[in-house]
Amino acid sequence: MIHQQTVASPVAAPGPWAACAAQRSPFWRLVAVEARKLVGTRSDKLVLAFSPIFLVGLMMLFTLTQSNLASAGKQIGPLLIVVQLGLLLVFSTVIKLVAGEWQYKSVQPTLLVQPSRMRYFLAQGTVLAGVWLACTLFTFVLFPILIKTAAHGNNHNYLLGMRMGWVLGVTMLATALVLLTALIVSLLVPNTGGSLTVFFIVVPMLAVARLSLPEVFGLIYPLEPAWHLAGLGTGWAQTISASVLWLALLAFSLFRLQRRDAG
């Protein structure tokens, strides 16, 4: 009887490509991808290129036309309006980045490469932090120059120069709150058109309502903490209420992000 011996064929060792595919994408690469998405289209590039011109124009409108700049509060007040309105264009690209990903399902390739949604969100957050820093520095450098010119034109002393740390803090907080509003809107309304409508119409209307009835609308106004820091708020109740409301909306939007269908 002849016995046949079965010889198992050797399994090929996985190649370098398999080890590469099994590894998570480095975080810096995710950040680089999200940064490229921010300027991914021609319209995004045009909006970002025009944004500084729009911001400077509003700064000049709300500073050089002032007739009463006799106090530090009067001199820093226009800054809050400029940040609220002047950053609408640049932060519209943020809305397109965040909301557009889910509307057009372009988030799928990113989540296939690395499934962690929080890691994906942190990569986007890093890019947004860079945008926030650039907007803050640009505003902080230019606004004092214009308000100083306006104060001297009205024969008033320039008072912000002695409290530049305070001016920087107000600028940083106000810019962060406008960006946070854009982020929350884009997460809660994962549709580019809908998010832009809310951001460009509802949020400015809320700002106008706050100027008319600060005690009432200050309770829900997203920039109320910045107004409080500037010494122009209506009280701690409004500041705390607005802060809790928008932080709760941020938490809810992140909760929705973890469960949103990417298919």
Side-chain angles (χ1 to χ4, degrees), residues 2-263:
I2 300 175
H3 298 279
Q4 292 183 348
Q5 185 177 4
T6 303
V7 179
S9 59
V11 179
W17 61 270
C20 239
Q23 292 179 353
R24 289 201 310 176
S25 297
F27 185 71
W28 65 265
R29 185 172 296 167
L30 297 178
V31 174
V33 169
E34 296 305 317
R36 285 198 297 270
K37 290 179 185 177
L38 191 66
V39 291
T41 65
R42 182 175 299 177
S43 62
D44 293 333
K45 293 182 177 70
L46 288 174
V47 169
L48 287 175
F50 183 71
S51 293
I53 302 173
F54 180 70
L55 179 58
V56 171
L58 281 181
M59 276 193 198
M60 296 177 67
L61 176 64
F62 285 102
T63 56
L64 300 181
T65 59
Q66 296 294 321
S67 58
N68 182 7
L69 296 172
S71 66
K74 293 290 186 181
Q75 292 183 13
I76 202 170
L79 172 65
L80 297 167
I81 301 174
V82 165
V83 169
Q84 170 75 75
L85 301 178
L87 297 179
L88 287 176
L89 278 185
V90 64
F91 288 161
S92 69
T93 60
V94 170
I95 288 178
K96 289 182 64 179
L97 171 67
V98 178
E101 289 268 276
W102 296 95
Q103 179 184 2
Y104 301 110
K105 307 303 180 184
S106 54
V107 71
Q108 289 179 345
T110 303
L111 294 180
L112 285 174
V113 173
Q114 61 86 38
S116 172
R117 296 194 178 194
M118 285 309 298
R119 203 161 173 261
Y120 157 70
F121 177 74
L122 288 174
Q124 282 191 336
T126 303
V127 174
L128 302 190
V131 174
W132 164 76
L133 183 61
C135 293
T136 298
L137 292 178
F138 185 86
T139 306
F140 176 68
V141 169
L142 190 58
F143 178 81
I145 297 173
L146 293 175
I147 205 68
K148 182 178 180 179
T149 303
H152 290 168
N154 289 313
N155 296 317
H156 293 152
N157 293 327
Y158 173 60
L159 303 173
L160 300 186
M162 298 178 290
R163 305 176 64 183
M164 292 305 292
W166 172 60
V167 176
L168 177 60
V170 172
T171 307
M172 292 175 66
L173 181 58
T175 306
L177 291 174
V178 178
L179 176 58
L180 184 66
T181 306
L183 179 61
I184 291 171
V185 168
S186 59
L187 287 174
L188 291 178
V189 188
N191 177 282
T192 304
S195 296
L196 289 174
T197 300
V198 173
F199 190 60
F200 275 88
I201 297 178
V202 176
V203 175
M205 285 178 62
L206 187 57
V208 173
R210 192 265 175 202
L211 290 175
S212 303
L213 292 171
E215 292 81 7
V216 176
F217 290 99
L219 295 168
I220 59 174
Y221 182 50
L223 267 71
E224 190 64 28
W227 283 79
H228 186 92
L229 181 60
L232 302 173
T234 53
W236 278 106
Q238 285 78 7
T239 301
I240 294 173
S241 173
S243 301
V244 170
L245 172 63
W246 287 92
L247 287 176
L249 287 174
L250 176 62
F252 179 69
S253 64
L254 293 178
F255 174 79
R256 289 279 306 274
L257 176 69
Q258 292 284 32
R259 288 157 177 75
R260 182 169 293 146
D261 182 17

